[in-house]
């Protein structure tokens, strides 16, 4: 089961995208980009994160070329393009610091409800964190919830199983994705956060997860 990530992101944009100054051009760029990328993998992915990290901590939209020119509508534009490109893939919106029922969670849930008010475009919410209160709050959007970028500094077996139990206790939580396989390939390798060590040997956390399932 493969999850695609991500179609629209504020960071690492080509300079020509960041310098776009009119709504029509930017809308076309979003639509063409998604048609090409999502269309290339049509039928091969279980789910795609259409958007990642579009919120500030207070629940407002992060400033980007997309939000500045198109406001909130860039979310709907992108999800419509993704649905057209791959009708069978689950479409997710993804963010971090969703680990309590905070302002960011509330802003995200409210946006998902607005976008889906006239027909479901957003199938699920991906959280890059993991605790049960937040999962319950996110499920209030009426979509699936998935833990999409899990790594835990030190890879404590107890911490990993706590995340698993939180997901299992939330009926809307459908999957957990580890943010890498081996510590050697982790974006923060020095904190040894993954389920396999630098030699691809399973850690105690891996065995604990298998036992808990």
């Amino acid at each position: 089961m493969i999850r695609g990530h991500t179609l629209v992101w504020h960071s690492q944009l080509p300079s020509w995208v960041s310098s776009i100054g009119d709504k029509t051009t930017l809308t076309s760029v979003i639509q063409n980009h998604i048609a090409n990328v999502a269309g290339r993998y049509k039928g091969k992915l279980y789910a795609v994160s259409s958007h990642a990290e579009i919120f500030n901590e207070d629940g407002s939209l992060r400033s980007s070329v997309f939000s500045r020119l198109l406001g909130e509508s860039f979310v709907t534009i992108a999800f419509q393009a993704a649905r057209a490109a791959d009708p069978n893939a689950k479409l997710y919106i993804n963010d971090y610091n969703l680990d309590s029922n905070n302002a960011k969670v509330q802003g995200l849930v409210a946006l998902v409800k607005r976008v889906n008010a006239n027909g479901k475009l957003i199938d699920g919410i991906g959280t890059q964190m993991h605790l049960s209160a937040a999962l319950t709050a996110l499920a209030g959007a009426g979509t699936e919830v998935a833990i999409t970028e899990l790594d835990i500094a030190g890879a404590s077996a107890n911490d990993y199983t706590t995340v698993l139990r939180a997901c299992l206790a939330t009926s809307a939580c459908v999957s957990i994705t580890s943010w890498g396989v081996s510590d050697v390939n982790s974006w923060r390798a020095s904190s040894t956060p993954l389920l396999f060590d630098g030699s691809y040997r399973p850690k105690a956390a891996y065995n604990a997860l298998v036992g808990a399932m």
Side-chain angles (χ1 to χ4, degrees), residues 7-186:
L7 296 174
V8 177
W9 194 35
H10 66 279
S11 184
Q12 300 181 35
L13 292 172
S15 58
W16 65 269
V17 174
S18 299
S19 64
I20 291 172
D22 71 277
K23 295 179 179 181
T24 301
T25 299
L26 185 59
T27 298
S28 178
V29 166
I30 293 171
Q31 291 169 334
N32 289 337
H33 169 71
I34 292 175
N36 285 323
V37 175
R40 181 181 305 154
Y41 300 102
K42 180 180 179 181
K44 299 177 181 178
L45 303 179
Y46 161 74
V48 178
S49 293
S50 180
H51 291 71
E53 303 172 359
I54 68 170
F55 285 94
N56 295 311
E57 298 307 308
D58 64 0
S60 62
L61 283 179
R62 180 193 296 273
S63 179
S64 69
V65 64
F66 307 111
S67 63
R68 288 193 298 272
L69 285 183
L70 297 170
E72 185 177 292
S73 69
F74 85 91
V75 178
T76 299
I77 290 166
F79 273 98
Q80 288 174 336
R83 182 70 79 207
D86 192 349
N88 294 321
K90 296 279 189 179
L91 301 182
Y92 270 68
I93 188 167
N94 199 65
D95 221 311
Y96 60 90
N97 286 351
L98 307 179
D99 52 343
S100 66
N101 189 10
N102 54 34
K104 194 175 199 178
V105 166
Q106 293 165 13
L108 190 155
V109 168
L111 179 139
V112 170
K113 287 181 175 179
R114 289 194 296 275
V115 172
N116 283 350
N118 296 316
K120 182 174 278 190
L121 281 173
I122 302 174
D123 296 308
I125 297 171
T127 173
Q128 297 168 27
M129 275 296 287
H130 43 260
L131 300 179
S132 56
L135 292 178
T136 301
L138 292 171
T143 68
E144 294 180 355
V145 178
I147 297 166
T148 54
E149 297 187 23
L150 180 63
D151 57 11
I152 301 174
S156 159
N158 181 66
D159 288 348
Y160 265 101
T161 54
T162 296
V163 175
L164 173 64
R165 292 189 186 105
C167 183
L168 291 175
T170 305
S171 59
C173 188
V174 297
S175 67
I176 299 173
T177 302
S178 175
W179 200 234
V181 177
S182 163
D183 289 335
V184 74
N185 303 125
S186 173

Side-chain angles (χ1 to χ4, degrees), residues 155 160 178 180-186 189 192-207 209-210:
Y160 265 101
S178 175
V181 177
S182 163
D183 289 335
V184 74
N185 303 125
S186 173
T192 61
L194 297 174
L195 296 171
F196 293 81
D197 68 17
S199 298
Y200 290 87
R201 292 174 299 206
K203 298 181 185 178
Y206 173 84
N207 295 323
L209 288 178
V210 172

